[in-house]
Amino acid sequence: MNKNNNLIFGFLLFTILMLSAGRTFATPPLAYEGRRLYVSYCQLCHGTAGQGDGPLAKVMQIKPADLSTTIRARSDTILKKIITGRGKQTITGRDRHNLLSEAMPEWKDIFSDEQLQALIAYLRFMTNTSRHPLMGDPVVGMKLYHTYCQVCHGEEGDGEGIMTQLMGITPMDHTNPNETNPLSNADIINSILKGKGRYMPAWEGILSQEDAEALVSYIRLLAH
Ligand code: HEC
Ligand code: HEC
């Protein structure tokens, strides 16, 4: 590199860093946020896969619903009423939760409307039988994504990162299920560790198999 090129390169790098520094991360994807809420508030009874086999279920008189079989038939509106216990009289005239027993807590105003939407997005993701399973921890995955991937794939995973304009490349839009669903978890791990095409770098040596699995989970929740 001659001196001029060095200058240009330095300026480019500086610009990228300045652009990144002032940015706050966009709100996390709905299903990601929903999973976080589910793990803290619902998993206790409904279990990790929603099948009603959480640790508290064992000591309860009434078995928590197996969400993987019940909720497909429920609209978002009904699910909101079931979760909050709000507005129940108008549907059934019955006392609680649209016919459910008291064993399912009424969450009232504990969740904002956005959080309810997020919870429902995750319930739908979790109970979708054709989904690719989550592998590693998506919370770890999100951190890694923001550190290593967003510069090209974008803060929101939509493929609009800063580098795309600078380099004129089109990274995969990870929020589009039509793009990510055809790839198996193994395909994604392979692309992360070995690279893909000309500009998707191989991360082997920087990221471990476990890191790649965490990224897979985050990408799956992004594309929901
Ligand atoms: C203390 C245990 C407990 C917790 C915590 C809990 N549930 Fe439940 N849930 C139940 C039980 C028990 C039922 C079944 C009630 C019945 O059949 O009368 C149920 C039923 C449901 C149903 C209805 C299923 C259907 O379609 O028939 C939904 C939806 C649901 N729960 C969602 C949630 C969500 C979302 C959370 C977390 C915000 C949550 N539950 C937390 C115990 C729990
Ligand atoms: C330098 C820019 C860049 C960075 C950084 C980057 N990617 Fe990519 N990525 C691309 C491009 C470009 C493609 C499209 C590759 C092609 O098909 O030619 C791509 C494609 C992908 C694909 C689809 C691969 C396939 O099999 O079709 C996945 C998954 C992916 N990237 C994940 C990641 C993850 C996870 C990270 C962070 C660890 C990351 N990328 C970082 C540029 C980047």
Side-chain angles (χ1 to χ4, degrees), residues 41-42 45-46 64-65 67 70 74 79 100-101 103-105 107 111:
Y41 296 99
C42 323
C45 291
H46 288 284
L67 302 175
T70 59
R74 311 261 193 221
L79 282 176
L100 296 191
S101 71
M104 162 68 186
W107 298 89
F111 303 116

Side-chain angles (χ1 to χ4, degrees), residues 141 144-153 163-164 167 169-174 179-180 183-184 187-192 195-201 203 207 211-212 215-216 219:
L144 293 171
Y145 198 90
H146 284 160
T147 308
Y148 298 107
C149 321
Q150 68 146 345
V151 68
C152 290
H153 288 279
M163 293 281 278
T164 54
M167 291 176 68
I169 52 172
T170 38
M172 177 176 269
D173 175 359
H174 291 149
E179 293 202 27
T180 54
L183 300 175
S184 69
D187 290 338
I188 295 184
I189 289 175
N190 192 57
S191 294
I192 293 172
K196 174 89 185 177
R198 193 153 164 217
Y199 291 115
M200 165 64 192
W203 295 94
L207 299 177
D211 292 337
L215 281 161
V216 165
I219 289 171

Side-chain angles (χ1 to χ4, degrees), residues 51-148:
Q51 291 174 325
D53 55 356
L56 192 60
K58 299 189 179 85
V59 299
M60 289 188 75
Q61 298 283 319
I62 300 176
K63 201 173 154 18
D66 177 352
L67 302 175
S68 67
T69 60
T70 59
I71 74 155
R72 230 156 302 148
R74 311 261 193 221
S75 69
D76 286 8
T77 313
I78 297 290
L79 282 176
K80 270 187 204 169
K81 287 178 181 174
I82 288 176
I83 297 168
T84 61
R86 272 189 256 136
K88 60 213 170 197
Q89 293 87 346
T90 54
I91 346 170
T92 62
R94 296 286 286 266
D95 228 22
R96 294 183 63 91
H97 287 309
N98 188 24
L99 291 178
L100 296 191
S101 71
E102 302 196 3
M104 162 68 186
E106 288 188 350
W107 298 89
K108 304 248 191 295
D109 297 326
I110 290 174
F111 303 116
S112 69
D113 219 49
E114 211 165 59
Q115 287 177 317
L116 284 172
Q117 216 51 59
L119 264 170
I120 291 169
Y122 183 66
L123 293 182
R124 300 235 182 266
F125 172 83
M126 185 176 61
T127 57
N128 176 356
T129 47
S130 64
R131 78 193 169 93
H132 299 279
L134 298 187
M135 302 186 81
D137 184 350
V139 178
V140 173
M142 182 161 91
K143 280 202 195 109
L144 293 171
Y145 198 90
H146 284 160
T147 308
Y148 298 107

Side-chain angles (χ1 to χ4, degrees), residues 14-64:
F14 178 74
T15 313
I16 293 173
L17 290 177
M18 288 315 285
L19 281 170
S20 331
R23 293 172 97 99
T24 49
F25 289 125
T27 46
L30 266 193
Y32 173 92
E33 177 63 7
R35 178 187 170 276
R36 198 183 64 74
L37 296 168
Y38 180 86
V39 168
S40 301
Y41 296 99
C42 323
Q43 186 166 285
L44 191 60
C45 291
H46 288 284
T48 46
Q51 291 174 325
D53 55 356
L56 192 60
K58 299 189 179 85
V59 299
M60 289 188 75
Q61 298 283 319
I62 300 176
K63 201 173 154 18

